[in-house]
Amino acid sequence: MAFSAIHPDAGRVDATLPDLGCVLAWDLVHKVRPRVALRCRACGHGVHAKISPRGLRYFAHDPGRPPDCAWLNESLEHHQLKLVLATAVRATGWHAELEVTGPNGGWRADVLATSLDGSRRIAWEAQLSPITDDDIRYRTTRYQADDVEVCWVSPTRPPWIGVVPSVQVAEDDDGTVAIVDGAAEFYYTVGEWRMNRSQPLAEFIRRVQNQTVVFHEVLPRYRRIRLSAVSHSRRRGFWVSSASVIAESGHEAIRQRQEAWKQRQKEEAEARRMAEELQREIELKAEQARLDKQREQQRAEQQRQAAIQATRERLRREEEQQQQQAVEQERLRLEQIEARAGDRWHADVFETRQRELRDKVIDHVWLKERTKTTSFATSGPAVEFAYGTPVYVRDRLYGVLRPSPLSLHRLPREVVVFMLNAREGARCVDTGLVPAERVVFFDFPDAEQLQLL
Ligand SMILES: [Zn+2]
C-alpha cells in the first residue's frame, strides 16, 4: 500500500491531502468508472484508490503486482505513522510530501518536509523494521550528501536510538502523539543529561524546524543519561536545546580545568617525591662512599700496622740471629781459646811424667777404693772432659786426669780431679767450679809450660 500514486493527467497524487496535492477531488479517483489508470510510483504497476475500515485513504496494487515492489511490504502501522508525521509537519506550516525518492535513488523519504522558502529540507523517517547501526548511519549519510536533514522515528524504543538523529513516539490516551525518548536537557549543577518529559510531536517538529533544538553528539563523559529517578541509559546523542549544548561544554571546560589542576597537583607531588627520592639516593650514596672510605682507611691502617709489625719482627729476628751468631762466634772463640789452652796444658808434660802421674792415680785409687781396676781412656784428652783424660774404675767414670783449668765447666759432676801438685789443685779450686774435697793432687813439679806462664 502507498499514499501516493501517478495520475495519467495530474501526475503525482497524494491520498493524505484533501485535494490530492494537485487540486483533484478524491472522488475523481476513488471508485470511478471507467477506472483512472493510476500507477505505482515504485514499480509502475497499476494501483487503485482505497479507504481502510478506519477511514484511511491509500492506494493498493492491482492484481498481478510484481513481488519486489519496495512499497509492498510496508505495514498499515508504518503508513499510519507516515500520515501522523506528514500531518504534524503540515500543522507547522511547512510542506510535507510523502514517499519522495531522492535524485539517483540515493534515498526515499517517508515524509519530506520543506520550508516555505525551500531552503531547508528535513526527512522524517518512520522506521519500524529492525536495522543495524551501520545501515541506519549509512542511510543518514545518504540524506546528508544531498543536504537533507533527517530524523528517524520509531513507535518503540529501538536499539539505534541516539546513534543517528532519532526519537521514539507514543500516542497519549487522548490520541495526541508525543516524543517520549530522544530529547534531553543538560542539568549543569549535577553535570548530567536528563531525558525530557514527553512533548507533542508537532511541537517537537516545530522546534527542529526553527532550530531551537538540534541533534547533539554528547561528549563521551556525559553519555550516561538519566531516563528517570531510578534508571539510566547510555546514548551517543539526542535532540537538545542550544542552551544545553553551552551548559555541557561549560561543564566540560570546568571539569577539564579541575582535572588539569588535579593532574598538575599529582605531577607536582610526583616531582617532589622524585626529588626526595633523588636526595635520599644521593645521601645514601654519600654515606656509602663515606663508609667505603672509612673501611678503606681502616684496611690501609691495618696493612700499615701489619707492615710495621712485620718489619719489627724481621728486625727482631735479624737482631736475634746476629746475637745468636755473636754468641756462637764467642762460643767458638772461647772453645778455640780453651782448645789452645788445653793443647798447651798438655804439650810440655813429658811422656814419662804422664806415666808417673797415672801410676800415682792407680796407687791413690788402691788406697782409697781397694781395687786395681783403674784404667785410662786411650783416646787421650777430650773436650767433653775439659781436655783431661777420663779415669775409669770398675768400668765406671771415676775422675779426670789433669783437666784444663780454663775448661773445668765442662766436667761431669761428682768426678775426682787429679792434678800434678798443690799449685795446680789450688788453681782448680780457685775457679769455684770444683769443690776442694774432690781435688786430688800429688807432689810433682810444675809442668814446663806453666812455669813459663
Ligand atoms: Zn508498486
Side-chain angles (χ1 to χ4, degrees):
M1 64 183 290
F3 284 121
S4 59
I6 303 294
H7 189 277
D9 302 321
R12 189 172 184 278
V13 287
D14 187 336
T16 65
L17 291 170
D19 60 357
L20 302 185
C22 52
V23 202
L24 204 67
W26 175 252
D27 291 346
L28 294 178
V29 296
H30 184 235
K31 288 186 174 176
V32 289
R33 288 288 181 270
R35 279 190 53 182
V36 185
L38 297 171
R39 282 182 291 108
C40 172
R41 292 178 56 229
C43 65
H45 191 74
V47 297
H48 51 276
K50 283 185 79 171
I51 298 180
S52 78
R54 290 178 62 191
L56 188 66
R57 294 171 171 183
Y58 64 98
F59 300 102
H61 283 93
D62 294 337
R65 65 193 175 187
D68 56 348
C69 177
W71 288 345
L72 266 181
N73 296 324
E74 290 192 352
S75 62
L76 182 63
E77 196 185 16
H78 187 182
H79 276 74
Q80 281 170 338
L81 182 54
K82 285 200 289 190
L83 184 57
V84 164
L85 288 169
T87 306
V89 169
R90 283 165 186 155
T92 68
W94 280 33
H95 294 300
E97 278 183 276
L98 284 95
E99 296 145 4
V100 181
T101 304
N104 310 319
W107 42 267
R108 188 172 66 83
D110 285 336
V111 176
L112 184 67
T114 308
S115 63
L116 290 178
D117 61 2
S119 63
R120 284 178 64 211
R121 289 182 296 170
I122 305 174
W124 294 92
E125 281 286 5
Q127 182 66 32
L128 282 74
S129 52
I131 184 169
T132 66
D133 287 2
D134 283 346
D135 283 348
I136 202 164
R137 273 202 204 95
Y138 174 71
R139 286 177 62 185
T140 301
T141 60
R142 299 292 291 268
Y143 282 106
Q144 289 165 344
D146 287 339
D147 213 17
V148 176
E149 297 165 50
V150 63
C151 179
W152 301 85
V153 183
S154 171
T156 56
R157 183 182 295 167
W160 41 260
I161 192 158
V163 173
V164 290
S166 49
V167 288
Q168 180 192 349
V169 293
E171 194 172 356
D172 287 354
D173 289 340
D174 62 0
T176 30
V177 178
I179 305 294
V180 293
D181 195 338
E185 286 298 324
F186 190 77
Y187 285 71
Y188 186 87
T189 49
V190 287
E192 71 175 6
W193 289 96
R194 288 181 180 173
M195 195 62 73
N196 275 352
R197 291 170 187 276
S198 70
Q199 55 180 316
L201 175 64
E203 178 64 26
F204 174 73
I205 288 175
R206 184 179 289 112
R207 286 181 181 169
V208 172
Q209 286 171 175
N210 64 24
Q211 293 175 306
T212 52
V213 300
V214 293
F215 185 75
H216 172 62
E217 277 211 26
V218 179
L219 295 174
R221 173 161 293 267
Y222 301 101
R223 285 185 179 159
R224 187 165 187 265
I225 180 174
R226 184 178 286 278
L227 299 181
S228 71
V230 292
S231 66
H232 285 86
S233 179
R234 291 194 75 81
R235 295 291 168 81
R236 302 180 65 85
F238 23 68
W239 295 91
V240 306
S241 68
S242 51
S244 277
V245 175
I246 292 166
E248 184 197 43
S249 60
H251 194 275
E252 172 68 3
I254 285 180
R255 193 191 60 73
Q256 282 185 0
R257 269 206 299 281
Q258 285 175 341
E259 289 221 332
W261 182 80
K262 278 183 197 163
Q263 183 62 27
R264 254 199 326 278
Q265 295 289 103
K266 206 171 128 188
E267 283 168 4
E268 279 170 16
E270 177 66 9
R272 272 199 301 280
R273 193 189 64 72
M274 280 173 73
E276 282 167 11
E277 199 167 289
L278 196 66
Q279 183 60 30
R280 269 201 301 279
E281 214 167 285
I282 288 167
E283 283 168 7
L284 212 67
K285 276 184 181 162
E287 176 64 10
Q288 192 60 45
R290 196 184 65 75
L291 287 175
D292 285 350
K293 194 177 171 189
Q294 199 176 49
R295 270 199 291 274
E296 186 57 39
Q297 282 172 346
Q298 282 172 353
R299 215 172 12 248
E301 179 60 18
Q302 282 169 358
Q303 283 174 353
R304 200 176 69 81
Q305 291 294 342
I308 289 171
Q309 192 57 36
T311 304
R312 278 186 186 151
E313 185 65 21
R314 185 170 55 76
L315 290 174
R316 192 186 61 74
R317 274 200 304 273
E318 281 174 7
E319 199 177 344
E320 215 172 68
Q321 264 175 4
Q322 281 170 1
Q323 279 174 359
Q324 280 172 359
Q325 280 171 2
V327 166
E328 181 65 11
Q329 278 170 3
E330 180 61 13
R331 193 183 62 78
L332 287 173
R333 196 179 66 81
L334 288 174
E335 277 188 3
Q336 281 171 3
I337 290 171
E338 273 185 66
R340 277 200 300 276
D343 284 350
R344 278 200 304 275
W345 184 249
H346 293 287
D348 295 317
V349 176
F350 299 126
E351 193 71 27
T352 47
R353 173 63 44 78
Q354 291 204 21
R355 271 202 304 276
E356 289 166 2
L357 184 56
R358 291 182 184 192
D359 289 344
K360 283 281 187 189
V361 168
I362 290 166
D363 290 347
H364 171 82
V365 172
W366 169 252
L367 286 173
K368 271 265 190 211
E369 309 291 341
R370 289 291 158 191
T371 175
K372 289 185 177 176
T373 58
T374 304
S375 63
F376 301 91
T378 50
S379 52
V383 64
E384 62 266 35
F385 296 111
Y387 299 101
T389 304
V391 178
Y392 297 98
V393 174
R394 295 190 188 100
D395 292 330
R396 286 177 60 192
L397 183 66
Y398 183 83
V400 175
L401 187 58
R402 209 167 169 264
S404 168
L406 207 59
S407 303
L408 289 176
H409 58 280
R410 296 181 184 278
L411 280 183
R413 289 169 170 275
E414 310 296 329
V415 294
V416 179
V417 173
F418 297 102
M419 295 307 243
L420 278 183
N421 50 34
R423 184 182 161 87
E424 279 188 8
R427 216 177 145 188
C428 278
V429 174
D430 287 350
T431 62
L433 293 167
V434 184
E437 63 268 20
R438 283 179 45 213
V439 176
V440 175
F441 54 85
F442 305 105
D443 54 353
F444 292 105
D446 282 338
E448 288 74 355
Q449 184 61 36
L450 290 176
Q451 283 174 334
L452 288 174
L453 283 174

